[in-house]
Amino acid sequence: DNLSTKLVDKKRDHWAFKPVVRPPVPAVQDAAWVRNPIDAFVLAKLEAKKWHPNPPAGAPQLMRRMYLDVIGLPPNLEEQALLANKESPDSAEKFDQLADQLLSQPEYGERWGRHWLDLVRYAETNGYERDSTKPNVWRYRDYVIQSLNQDKPYDRFILEQLAGDELPDASTETILATGYYRLGPWDDEPADPKEDRYEQLEDMVNTTSQTFLGMTLACARCHNHKFEPYSTLDYYRMAAIFNTLQRPQAGREDLGAPAGNRDQLAREAARDHAIREKQRTIDEKRHTFKLSYLAAYPGKLPAEAIIAFRADPAKWDEAQKKLVAQHQAALDQELAAALPEATRGEIAEIERQQQELRVATPDLPRGYFFTETQPTPQVTHVLLRGKATAPGTIAEPGLPQVLVAKQPVFPTNTVATSQRRLTLARWIASPENTLTARVMVNRVWQFHFGEGLVRTPSDFGVMGYSPTHPELLDWLADWFVNEGGWSLKKLHRLILTSNAYRMSKAWNAEYGEKDPTNEQLWRMPYRRLDVEPLCDAMLVATGQLNRQMGGPSMYPFVPRQALEGHSDPTAVWKPFDERDASRRTVYSFIKRSMVVPLLEVLDLCDATRSAAQRNVTSVAPQALAMLNGNFVNRQSEHLAVRLEREAGTDRKAQIRLAWRLTLCREASERELSAMLQFLETPRSPALSEHQVLVQMCRALFNLNEFAYAD
């Protein structure tokens, strides 16, 4: 049964389903602390409790925080020196300029692109038993990184991923964006193909509703949602929107396709047809010469082989097939040498024309995406208890009832595609949508502050958390759309230039007892680095970072023992190439059945479903990986070599340089003394001075201070 209109209307009173209304910026007593409206909203809540925000973080700490937060890399020595020497009457102004600088760097897209890839369950294999590689899926990853670096408006970002092939200005880029739909697991040999089809639809409905709308709509597949105002009809209306899509495949083989709009595909098809026609002419010329050559054969091949070559291939017996296979290469060589100059010239001219065709119309990039091959989609049924074998009433495309007063009109008489996904995308990207802007500004806030203003970032429903600062959330959502023009970089800058962001992490016992989870935002919380910036920070410190962007993924080192459980250990993972594997960790190949052990133990997300937040665990294998793992020990060796090269044999100089490279600050006198004692303590002759220095480097990589932004 559908949810009653009365119940849905009642649930529309839930804060997330109400229209965004921009609240006034509150007045505060300590107006000097307010650098922008964010500060006013935060401070007003604190002053209501007679609390004060934490003092600002120190300059070295804030510098490292901003670098790791925005671009996922620590400042190098030159950047540290530049910020320290930069003349400015106001240190806050220095960091305003730093925010602009960092947001303009290409590394920003690599850092924040990884956050988006978590949300859209990005991985490069299908999962299940064979876990085959998804062809060219890395192009979607590169699309995300490039879009963020271009500061593509978020509403356009939505349109391209959900309906890039249906846009009036569809292009290779927008079609690659629709790879979003195909990122989830795929069973290449399902026991029940009909059931599997609805599993794929559920993956799309679930990811789309959670990522863009903060809704747990997939819970309504089998029955009306137990807690939220989402009905089974809501679910299948959404499923009907995606039921138009088809997966390019050849049986078990998962296929890519040329990424182009209809005009581009038509031009490529016309080019290929012209090339084939010219190739047919070439083949005919070669065949005509071959027949004449064999008719008066002047060569040295056995007579029985020539008889076989002259015969109709359809009538070859087994002996003739063997003769042909045995002598084909020799005959081809003879034919190439004997080809008349006139014929050779004619063929060369035709091949030149073929090459001209290829240059005039280059191959389209091959991407990984679904296709929609007909404008009339198949019928979608509400499934009784969610079973494909129990179809119920027909579900027309539509949107969750609680979010719309009137269903949008889905086109019917379309030409190439159904336009259903474009209708959905335009609704999601509409400023009138109550959820889209709220959800996205909350996600950006979450990745800057560790927790969102809504602490269930993919569940804004009745069962989700209420916002800690509802007025701030709505102010940001309205600002993002109307003043920010859906610009994520402008939103980042607004946050980065606030005093709320620049608070220290110092503990206040009184506040901590009353608000241990920092819901009132009286401090900046401690946050351990994700595995990507943690690994990348080591590569920056050692000087080994390969900054090559984009392209096929790299393969980090995987211990031999981790490969032995696979049926073909030599094929499951490419040979280790340290230079290539020293690219940023966002470019690591993500195999669902075998995640790189270092990434897995340091809490890489589960790539089988949308991940709004990563788990942060503290378990023994992490310490083992950081102390004994191949990656950390290789980087410790590289760092020791760098210290010897750049600081010479002076132990104090080595220590000071090591501190600046790893922790981005000067070593204190106490730290300098303790480390000198460690380096200069006599040891076994078997342990060289270089090896002792390597151990110091390994200890630095294992410091809490290294694993936390500040």
Side-chain angles (χ1 to χ4, degrees):
D1 293 335
N2 296 326
L3 293 174
S4 70
T5 303
K6 185 176 180 180
L7 175 60
V8 169
D9 287 343
K10 181 180 178 182
K11 292 295 185 180
R12 284 199 178 106
D13 289 337
H14 178 60
W15 67 267
F17 303 147
K18 292 180 179 180
V20 175
V21 177
R22 185 166 182 164
V25 178
V28 294
Q29 297 173 16
D30 186 9
W33 192 78
V34 175
R35 298 195 77 226
N36 67 38
I38 288 174
D39 295 332
F41 284 102
V42 171
L43 186 59
K45 295 269 284 187
L46 293 174
E47 288 184 343
K49 290 180 169 290
K50 296 184 168 40
W51 289 6
H52 301 282
N54 259 11
Q61 290 75 28
L62 182 56
M63 174 179 59
R64 190 167 187 263
R65 177 192 301 177
M66 289 181 68
Y67 267 86
L68 288 166
D69 199 3
V70 179
I71 66 171
L73 301 173
N76 59 34
L77 296 178
E78 294 77 15
E79 291 164 335
Q80 293 175 38
L82 181 65
L83 193 66
N85 298 329
K86 196 169 186 179
E87 293 186 7
S88 171
D90 180 6
S91 62
E93 185 180 312
K94 287 184 181 182
F95 288 101
D96 291 349
Q97 295 168 357
L98 179 60
D100 291 330
Q101 172 198 324
L102 294 175
L103 289 169
S104 68
Q105 293 183 200
E107 292 85 358
Y108 155 76
E110 293 172 319
R111 172 62 173 143
W112 283 81
R114 182 61 253 185
H115 293 320
W116 186 260
L117 297 177
D118 283 7
L119 285 168
V120 296
R121 80 277 188 233
Y122 176 84
E124 299 187 54
T125 61
N126 289 325
Y128 293 96
E129 181 181 357
R130 275 171 288 278
D131 198 23
S132 302
T133 299
K134 294 177 179 290
N136 301 302
V137 69
W138 54 267
R139 292 190 191 277
Y140 173 83
R141 177 205 64 209
D142 288 358
Y143 158 81
V144 170
I145 292 172
Q146 291 162 8
S147 295
L148 294 180
N149 279 332
Q150 294 164 4
D151 198 21
K152 184 173 291 178
Y154 182 60
D155 56 345
R156 175 69 184 190
F157 192 52
I158 294 169
L159 290 173
E160 290 182 354
Q161 291 178 83
L162 296 180
D165 57 325
E166 295 189 313
L167 291 170
D169 59 343
S171 64
T172 293
E173 180 183 17
T174 68
I175 288 163
L176 289 173
T178 63
Y180 153 83
Y181 286 112
R182 209 173 166 188
L183 298 174
W186 176 58
D187 188 352
D188 60 12
E189 193 178 27
D192 185 339
K194 287 185 178 180
E195 193 72 28
D196 178 69
R197 174 63 178 173
Y198 278 92
E199 291 295 329
Q200 292 182 48
L201 290 174
E202 179 174 328
D203 171 63
M204 292 181 237
V205 171
N206 189 38
T207 305
T208 302
S209 62
Q210 288 193 7
T211 298
F212 298 104
L213 299 171
M215 295 175 64
T216 57
L217 186 58
C219 296
R221 174 178 172 178
C222 303
H223 48 71
N224 292 342
H225 202 297
K226 295 296 185 183
F227 309 104
E228 307 287 354
Y230 315 145
S231 69
T232 53
L233 182 58
D234 287 336
Y235 173 88
Y236 286 100
R237 279 173 170 168
M238 283 280 281
I241 295 172
F242 307 129
N243 207 9
T244 59
L245 295 170
Q246 298 297 321
R247 175 182 293 274
Q249 66 186 93
R252 294 180 183 175
E253 187 179 359
D254 201 14
L255 303 177
N261 59 33
R262 280 183 290 163
D263 290 341
Q264 290 173 312
L265 293 172
R267 287 196 295 271
E268 186 176 79
R271 179 209 67 180
D272 291 345
H273 176 74
I275 290 174
R276 285 194 301 271
E277 289 299 309
K278 292 183 180 299
Q279 188 61 46
R280 185 176 291 110
T281 302
I282 292 174
D283 294 343
E284 288 173 354
K285 289 181 178 296
R286 292 188 185 278
H287 184 67
T288 299
F289 172 70
K290 176 182 176 181
L291 292 178
S292 64
Y293 185 80
L294 291 173
Y297 180 66
K300 300 178 181 179
L301 295 181
E304 59 271 22
I306 299 305
I307 292 171
F309 280 120
R310 289 172 178 165
D312 182 352
K315 298 179 180 179
W316 284 339
D317 58 26
E318 290 302 317
Q320 287 178 315
K321 290 178 182 178
K322 290 180 181 178
L323 284 169
V324 168
Q326 181 180 354
H327 298 288
Q328 185 69 62
L331 177 63
D332 290 344
Q333 189 174 3
E334 286 185 15
L335 290 169
L339 192 67
E341 283 301 319
T343 305
R344 197 186 305 274
E346 292 170 354
I347 291 174
E349 172 59 22
I350 297 171
E351 289 176 337
R352 185 190 65 77
Q353 294 171 6
Q354 288 178 316
Q355 184 59 29
E356 283 184 348
L357 288 168
R358 292 189 180 94
V359 171
T361 308
D363 287 342
L364 290 166
R366 293 191 69 82
Y368 186 73
F369 46 86
F370 280 106
T371 58
E372 191 172 331
T373 56
Q374 57 183 7
T376 306
Q378 60 184 311
V379 173
T380 303
H381 292 270
V382 174
L383 303 184
L384 305 181
R385 295 175 297 282
K387 297 295 184 182
T389 54
T393 58
I394 292 176
E396 298 294 343
L399 308 173
Q401 185 182 355
V402 73
L403 297 181
V404 290
K406 182 180 179 181
Q407 289 289 338
V409 176
F410 285 83
T412 52
N413 298 320
T414 55
V415 178
T417 67
S418 69
Q419 300 288 296
R420 289 183 175 183
R421 288 173 291 111
L422 185 56
T423 304
L424 170 69
R426 284 174 171 160
W427 171 75
I428 290 178
S430 166
E432 285 71 42
N433 190 303
T434 67
L435 289 168
T436 306
R438 280 179 174 135
V439 168
M440 193 56 189
V441 299
N442 187 66
R443 294 197 193 284
V444 174
W445 186 277
Q446 169 199 334
F447 291 121
H448 281 302
F449 286 87
E451 293 281 2
L453 297 169
V454 178
R455 297 198 170 193
T456 48
S458 286
D459 185 1
F460 275 40
V462 176
M463 296 303 294
Y465 280 27
S466 296
T468 58
H469 295 67
E471 294 83 7
L472 174 56
L473 178 65
D474 275 14
W475 188 94
L476 286 170
D478 182 87
W479 181 94
F480 179 51
V481 174
N482 294 305
E483 286 186 41
W486 297 93
S487 166
L488 289 170
K489 285 191 177 182
K490 289 180 180 178
L491 178 61
H492 286 301
R493 191 184 191 281
L494 187 70
I495 293 172
L496 293 168
T497 56
S498 70
N499 273 327
Y501 176 81
R502 298 179 183 184
M503 285 189 289
S504 73
K505 298 181 176 179
W507 184 253
N508 181 304
E510 178 190 350
Y511 300 172
E513 182 179 358
K514 296 176 181 177
D515 181 23
T517 58
N518 193 38
E519 290 190 6
Q520 301 301 313
L521 296 173
W522 52 271
R523 67 193 284 257
M524 177 63 76
Y526 280 98
R527 290 181 295 144
R528 197 182 71 199
L529 293 175
D530 294 335
V531 63
E532 293 90 352
L534 185 63
C535 292
D536 295 348
M538 293 187 207
L539 293 169
V540 170
T542 62
Q544 295 297 304
L545 180 64
N546 176 356
R547 292 181 182 261
Q548 176 189 337
M549 294 183 67
S553 296
M554 59 83 167
Y555 288 75
F557 175 82
V558 172
R560 176 179 52 81
Q561 296 86 341
L563 302 175
E564 288 178 346
H566 290 260
S567 57
D568 190 350
T570 60
V572 70
W573 204 252
K574 289 186 178 180
F576 178 63
D577 177 335
E578 183 167 14
R579 175 62 181 162
D580 190 48
S582 295
R583 296 169 66 199
R584 293 198 65 176
T585 314
V586 70
Y587 298 115
S588 296
F589 188 85
I590 304 299
K591 186 174 180 64
R592 283 193 161 102
S593 65
M594 192 199 72
V595 179
V596 175
L598 179 63
L599 305 187
E600 184 173 33
V601 77
L602 291 174
D603 299 325
L604 185 73
C605 65
D606 177 4
T608 62
R609 57 188 175 182
S610 176
Q613 292 173 299
R614 291 189 182 180
N615 294 326
V616 180
T617 62
S618 296
V619 293
Q622 292 168 344
L624 295 173
M626 292 295 290
L627 284 168
N628 302 326
N630 176 278
F631 178 80
V632 177
N633 278 280
R634 272 192 291 111
Q635 301 316 314
S636 301
E637 173 69 28
H638 289 314
L639 180 55
V641 170
R642 180 177 183 180
L643 297 178
E644 292 168 336
R645 182 177 66 247
E646 297 182 16
T649 57
D650 185 328
R651 288 302 201 189
K652 285 188 177 181
Q654 289 176 346
I655 295 168
R656 289 193 175 103
L657 179 58
W659 248 251
R660 291 181 61 206
L661 289 172
T662 57
L663 306 180
C664 305
R665 65 171 177 83
E666 297 293 341
S668 68
E669 287 301 319
R670 180 184 176 192
E671 290 167 331
L672 187 61
S673 174
M675 199 51 64
L676 273 173
Q677 183 179 359
F678 171 79
L679 292 177
E680 295 176 353
T681 298
R683 287 178 173 80
S684 163
L687 199 62
S688 67
E689 290 187 355
H690 171 77
Q691 290 170 321
V692 175
L693 189 61
V694 171
Q695 298 311 311
M696 182 195 81
C697 295
R698 184 169 66 158
L700 284 172
F701 287 145
N702 277 271
L703 289 176
N704 271 352
E705 188 177 348
F706 184 80
Y708 288 75
D710 64 294

